[in-house]
């Protein structure tokens, strides 16, 4: 099947499954790539935790921040099942800056991430991306701002109403009445922008080699493996990634490294038209589409 025919069929599958997405798969050695709307922007939710980690590690390397410094973290006191780590703590705790990086990146702990944003504010992270020449990713706010959506005000028993609002209140220009979903007000990015970031982490770039190695290690330790990981993990491959979820948005970007030496960057950002919190079918569909794109490139 030609690449054109494959993309056409995958677009149809996505539409039938109630998904629209920005997909891009890139061979990190040849630069060959295949995608679906790779420049389409989305609010990025927890994907920002990777640039946050890089910018913080750069400050540690420069001597501006002590990675061993113990920071007093107030408890998140969350009862939401999707929240992890200190977001569910009941009491204050002292945690080092470097351990906060682990909690933020590997466990996607929003409380840890917001504590890191106190160390390296969003504008510093955004400035680092610009200085590194990584365009297309914008970091505008802390993670706690994502906890003020209609879903948080309506409660779990009315979550479907919050998702209906998320689905129905967007504009053709990617604006939205819910600010956390508006790409002009929220942290935002596209599959192409996140693929460029992955390439900068996995191949020589302006990112310090030691920092790149540490971030790759953190992404390999990602414990959230229900989305793309089932289609990219095997005894002959390694999957390193970061997920992001907000209302009807489901994202993940990462790199699959094969035992034969090939490596592919995979970035997937999606929005669902189905007003439901739990959508295992959508998770499986986005993974299947991403793998189909990878399989086509791998066969070239």
């Amino acid at each position: 099947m030609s690449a054109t025919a494959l993309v056409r069929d995958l677009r149809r599958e996505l539409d039938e499954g109630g998904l629209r997405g920005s997909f891009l798969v890139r061979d990190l050695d040849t630069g060959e790539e295949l995608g679906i709307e790779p420049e389409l922007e989305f609010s990025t939710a927890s994907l920002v935790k990777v640039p946050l980690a890089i910018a913080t590690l750069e400050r540690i390397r420069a001597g501006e921040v002590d990675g061993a410094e113990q920071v007093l973290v107030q408890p998140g006191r969350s009862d939401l099942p999707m929240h992890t780590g200190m977001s569910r703590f009941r009491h204050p705790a002292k945690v080092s800056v470097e351990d906060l990086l682990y909690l933020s990146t590997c466990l996607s702990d929003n409380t840890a991430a917001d504590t890191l944003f106190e160390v390296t504010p969003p504008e510093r992270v955004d400035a680092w991306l610009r200085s590194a020449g990584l365009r297309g990713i914008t970091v505008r706010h802390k993670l706690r701002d994502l906890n003020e959506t209609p879903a948080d005000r309506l409660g779990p028993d009315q979550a479907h109403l919050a998702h209906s609002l998320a689905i129905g209140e967007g504009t053709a220009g990617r604006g939205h009445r819910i600010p956390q979903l508006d790409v002009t007000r929220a942290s935002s990015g596209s599959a192409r922008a996140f693929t460029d970031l992955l390439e900068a982490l996995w191949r020589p770039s302006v990112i310090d080699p030691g920092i790149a190695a540490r971030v790759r290690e953190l992404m390999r330790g990602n414990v959230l493996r229900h989305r793309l990981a089932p289609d990219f993990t095997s005894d002959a491959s390694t999957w390193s990634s970061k997920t992001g979820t907000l209302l009807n948005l489901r994202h993940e970007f990462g790199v699959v490294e094969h035992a034969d030496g090939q490596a592919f960057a995979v970035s997937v950002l999606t929005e669902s038209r189905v007003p439901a919190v739990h959508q295992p079918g959508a998770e499986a569909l986005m993974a299947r589409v991403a793998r189909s794109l990878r399989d086509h490139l791998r066969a070239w």
Side-chain angles (χ1 to χ4, degrees):
M1 181 183 292
S2 71
T4 301
L6 175 66
V7 168
R8 182 188 63 240
D9 289 349
L10 294 177
R11 281 178 180 269
R12 185 176 63 250
E13 282 190 50
L14 288 167
D15 185 60
E16 290 173 351
L19 286 180
R20 185 185 184 187
S22 180
F23 291 73
L24 189 64
V25 179
R26 179 182 298 165
D27 186 321
L28 289 178
D29 294 315
T30 68
E32 297 285 349
E33 60 182 35
L34 190 59
I36 299 171
E37 295 193 89
E39 280 84 25
L40 186 64
E41 283 190 280
F42 287 88
S43 170
T44 49
S46 288
L47 299 190
V48 299
K49 292 169 184 172
V50 173
L52 169 62
I54 302 169
T56 302
L57 286 166
E58 286 282 4
R59 299 193 68 207
I60 292 172
R61 184 177 72 91
E64 299 174 12
V65 173
D66 181 0
E69 180 185 353
Q70 300 287 305
V71 181
L72 180 64
V73 183
Q74 297 300 320
R77 295 185 179 278
S78 172
D79 292 318
L80 297 176
M82 72 284 293
H83 289 171
T84 58
M86 291 188 298
S87 296
R88 300 177 71 88
F89 276 23
R90 291 296 190 233
H91 306 283
K94 283 190 174 181
V95 184
S96 73
V97 171
E98 287 190 295
D99 287 337
L100 288 169
L101 288 168
Y102 164 74
L103 292 168
S104 171
T105 310
C106 299
L107 274 66
S108 204
D109 182 338
N110 285 355
T111 296
D114 275 341
T115 304
L116 286 173
F117 270 130
E118 296 293 335
V119 175
T120 307
E123 57 269 20
R124 290 289 298 267
V125 180
D126 199 63
W128 175 82
L129 287 164
R130 302 292 168 265
S131 69
L134 293 165
R135 308 293 177 181
I137 300 172
T138 302
V139 181
R140 294 188 171 101
H141 53 77
K142 298 177 182 178
L143 272 296
R144 68 172 63 99
D145 295 335
L146 300 178
N147 296 330
E148 299 172 357
T149 69
D152 301 284
R153 292 192 290 272
L154 290 172
D157 58 333
Q158 295 181 306
H160 64 286
L161 298 177
H163 282 254
S164 295
L165 286 172
I167 293 163
E169 297 298 327
T171 70
R174 310 301 291 162
H176 208 287
R177 287 186 64 183
I178 299 174
Q180 294 88 345
L181 300 180
D182 187 331
V183 300
T184 67
R185 291 184 284 175
S187 297
S188 61
S190 66
R192 182 170 300 284
F194 279 99
T195 300
D196 290 344
L197 177 58
L198 290 170
E199 183 168 349
L201 285 167
W202 260 261
R203 293 296 181 262
S205 71
V206 297
I207 301 176
D208 175 78
I211 291 173
R214 177 56 179 152
V215 175
R216 293 195 301 269
E217 180 182 32
L218 289 169
M219 293 178 73
R220 277 196 299 274
N222 178 18
V223 303
L224 301 177
R225 306 186 70 80
H226 63 290
R227 193 160 287 165
L228 302 188
D231 277 76
F232 288 104
T233 302
S234 74
D235 288 349
S237 64
T238 301
W239 175 245
S240 310
S241 72
K242 181 72 195 76
T243 59
T245 309
L246 177 65
L247 291 173
N248 65 325
L249 304 184
R250 290 169 177 80
H251 309 326
E252 186 164 357
F253 77 121
V255 169
V256 56
E257 298 171 273
H258 297 282
D260 64 6
Q262 280 191 299
F264 295 86
V266 182
S267 299
V268 179
L269 291 78
T270 72
E271 60 186 2
S272 173
R273 299 194 305 273
V274 179
V277 176
H278 302 292
Q279 297 185 45
E283 313 274 4
L285 176 57
M286 59 191 287
R288 184 169 69 252
V289 169
R291 177 161 180 169
S292 296
L293 295 171
R294 191 288 311 269
D295 288 350
H296 191 88
L297 279 181
R298 190 161 161 77
W300 281 8

